[in-house]
Amino acid sequence: LGFISAVMGGVISANYSAKNPMIMAWVCIIGQVISIPFTIGMFMLQDNFWLAIGCLAVKYLFAESWLSPAITMMQNTTKPSKQGNMISANIFYKTNAGMLATFICGLLSFHFNTKANPIVLGKILIGILSVSFAGSIPFFYLAGKSYVNYTKKKELKRLENE
């Protein structure tokens, strides 16, 4: 479902961003906002396995929608000769953020002795995932505003050259 989410985000942003470049950022933001309650649901609805799995599915269906528009905004604002570096840096930082989150989760797991009380692990994961989803929202917004400014400047330059 993560692949479908990434493609869906790309298709929506590609179809509507020509009229409004900020759509790319809004696709990222809306996907993250929708993901938060379903992340909470997949951990908290333990009495109903299928409902919890349904929450997981919906979360994945929206949580990865940021990937295509975010990469597209980065590629569109980077010289072709530097796009490989940009993609590599993006993957590097995402990988390090994932490793840091795993490390923090492990520390919290040991601190709160989740082997004796596994429900606490779900709460730790809710916190880490919700903070990461919510924490990305202002940065997607700022990236979108920057992308809009970039596209306006590029369009003005194109019009001047005509």
Side-chain angles (χ1 to χ4, degrees), residues 9-152:
V11 168
I12 292 169
S13 62
N15 286 334
Y16 297 102
S17 64
K19 295 176 188 169
N20 180 2
M22 188 67 184
I23 289 293
M24 289 197 186
W26 285 116
V27 167
C28 300
I29 291 166
I30 291 167
Q32 299 308 290
V33 168
I34 291 172
S35 298
I36 294 170
F38 290 99
T39 298
I40 294 167
M42 72 184 192
F43 289 108
M44 297 303 288
L45 300 172
Q46 295 300 307
D47 295 339
N48 187 330
F49 173 79
W50 293 109
L51 189 56
I53 290 296
C55 286
L56 175 66
V58 173
K59 176 221 168 255
Y60 270 112
L61 195 57
F62 288 95
E64 303 302 320
S65 62
W66 65 270
L67 187 60
S68 297
I71 294 291
T72 300
M73 285 191 288
M74 288 186 277
Q75 285 181 318
N76 288 347
T77 57
T78 305
K79 293 178 185 178
S81 63
K82 298 293 182 184
Q83 287 182 1
N85 294 347
M86 183 271 310
I87 297 294
S88 296
N90 178 269
I91 292 170
F92 174 78
Y93 290 120
K94 285 190 301 189
T95 301
N96 282 320
M99 291 186 315
L100 179 62
T102 303
F103 177 73
I104 291 169
C105 186
L107 287 177
L108 292 172
S109 180
F110 285 121
H111 178 75
F112 291 109
N113 192 18
T114 57
K115 284 186 179 182
N117 190 4
I119 292 173
V120 175
L121 183 58
K123 292 178 182 179
I124 291 169
L125 291 171
I126 286 171
I128 288 173
L129 292 170
S130 295
V131 166
S132 67
F133 289 143
S136 67
I137 291 170
F139 296 101
F140 283 133
Y141 181 80
L142 292 172
K145 286 297 189 183
S146 178
Y147 186 66
V148 167
N149 290 337
Y150 174 83
T151 56
K152 284 180 183 177

